Amino acid sequence: MSITPDPVQMRLTAYWDRWAAEYDGHQMGRLARQEERAVWERVWWEVLPEHARDLLDVGTGSGNVALSLARPGLAVTGVDLSGGMLARARAKAEDHPCPPHFVLGDAVDPPLPPGSVDAIVSRYLLWTLRDAPAALARWHALLRPGGVLVAVDGPWFAHEEELPRGTARQDHFAAAYDADAFARLPFGRAGVEEIARQWTAAGFVDVRADPLPEVLALDRAHGVAPGHAPQLQYRLSARRPG
Ligand SMILES: C[S@@+](CC[C@H](N)C(=O)[O-])C[C@H]1O[C@@H](n2cnc3c(N)ncnc32)[C@H](O)[C@@H]1O
């Protein structure tokens, strides 16, 4: 397993470790609604290959996307650098009929062999992903020919405004995600067109970005993760040539 002792990454991971309970609490509250689960089921399965056997969720966090996708015949692996987030994911997996495998690892270089997955998904990772070109090259190699890459994200911090401070979490976020950190996050302030351009440059084909107004409606009705404001999110999808 290759885990880069990168000082900026360590700061970001420490943030997710510390706030894992609050983050997951918000997510679990949202997932208690059938409507929420149905919308996300559509978001993923509209573009995932129906007969996928192996799926990787990069930046899985507390595992909710991996847990929702896992089903008979589909082996799901979730990778994250935050032990605090993974502990929550693993606890929930105990009651799951087809538990995903949750692994401590770097999304930039996931600890899986080349050509071993049919699909890679991620939600809310791209904005905080360092070394995006290296990650895209690695994901391309991990996919089997014809395999699919899907990522949902939004322009959470696209504008260089002063980050809110005052609570312990806000202060921690502003300290972890300072200007040096954002300078290391290629998609941190990028628009969807720029992200799609980089996916194409990495060799992916059929790159498309679909807006998700139904997710925005849910966010407006039920609130987003602490520290975020509702934004129109996009589902980017693409294929490794077959
Ligand atoms: C906003 S959370 C999203 C979690 C989850 N995907 C979800 O939808 O709830 C971002 C996650 O990305 C993880 N992360 C950020 N950079 C990472 C990297 N290079 N490798 C693995 N995980 C990373 C963080 O630890 C955190 O759990």
Side-chain angles (χ1 to χ4, degrees), residues 9 16 23 27 59-61 65 80-82 85 105-107 123-125 128 130:
Q9 180 68 65
W16 294 107
Y23 183 86
Q27 296 253 328
T60 192
V65 172
D80 205 281
L81 279 171
S82 162
M85 286 287 214
D106 193 343
R123 188 178 65 170
Y124 310 152
L125 168 74
T128 184
R130 60 170 224 291

